[in-house]
């Protein structure tokens, strides 16, 4: 049997609707949507993890590497023990700074290269 992709948002919505219907969870306000309620988003650790991963991906997709690093440091610091991942994140930060194109951003990119990217390169790829 072929493996079918899981629509995690739909699955989470069904589970949260069931939990609310059985009074296992209470929405923060009667008009709030279960998928938008902060109380409910924290009720499931896997759901919360997927939301966190989605936030990190959105930050990286928009070029905000610092926000992604902050989220990882705050919620999953052990992930940052992987020096190759850190190298890739700092490399992306360097690229994003260069993409901005201003002199100040170019100088920031050079500082990033010297202070973060080069040391992580030595640790990630000895």
């Amino acid at each position: 049997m072929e493996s079918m992709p899981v629509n995690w948002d739909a699955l989470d919505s069904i589970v949260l609707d069931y939990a609310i219907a059985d009074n296992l969870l209470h929405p923060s306000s009667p008009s709030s949507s279960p998928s938008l309620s902060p109380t409910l988003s924290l009720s499931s650790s896997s759901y919360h993890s997927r939301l966190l991963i989605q936030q990190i991906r959105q930050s990286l997709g928009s070029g905000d590497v610092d926000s992604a690093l902050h989220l990882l440091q705050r919620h999953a610091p052990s992930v940052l023990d992987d020096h190759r991942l850190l190298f890739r994140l700092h490399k992306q930060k360097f690229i994003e700074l260069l993409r901005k194109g201003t002199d100040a951003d170019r100088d920031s990119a050079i500082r990033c290269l010297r202070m973060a990217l080069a040391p992580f390169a030595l640790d990630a790829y000895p």
Side-chain angles (χ1 to χ4, degrees), residues 7 12-13 19-20 22 31 35 42-43 46 55 71-72 80 82 87 93 95 101 103 105 110 116 119 123 126:
N7 182 338
D12 290 336
S13 180
I20 290 170
D22 280 359
S31 64
S35 62
L42 297 175
S43 64
S46 65
Q55 282 181 306
L71 286 169
L72 286 169
L80 298 177
D82 182 349
F87 173 76
K93 182 179 178 178
I95 291 168
D103 289 340
D105 290 321
I110 297 299
D123 288 341

Side-chain angles (χ1 to χ4, degrees), residues 15-27:
V15 170
L16 290 173
D17 287 344
Y18 172 80
I20 290 170
D22 280 359
N23 294 320
L24 300 172
L25 295 172
H26 303 284

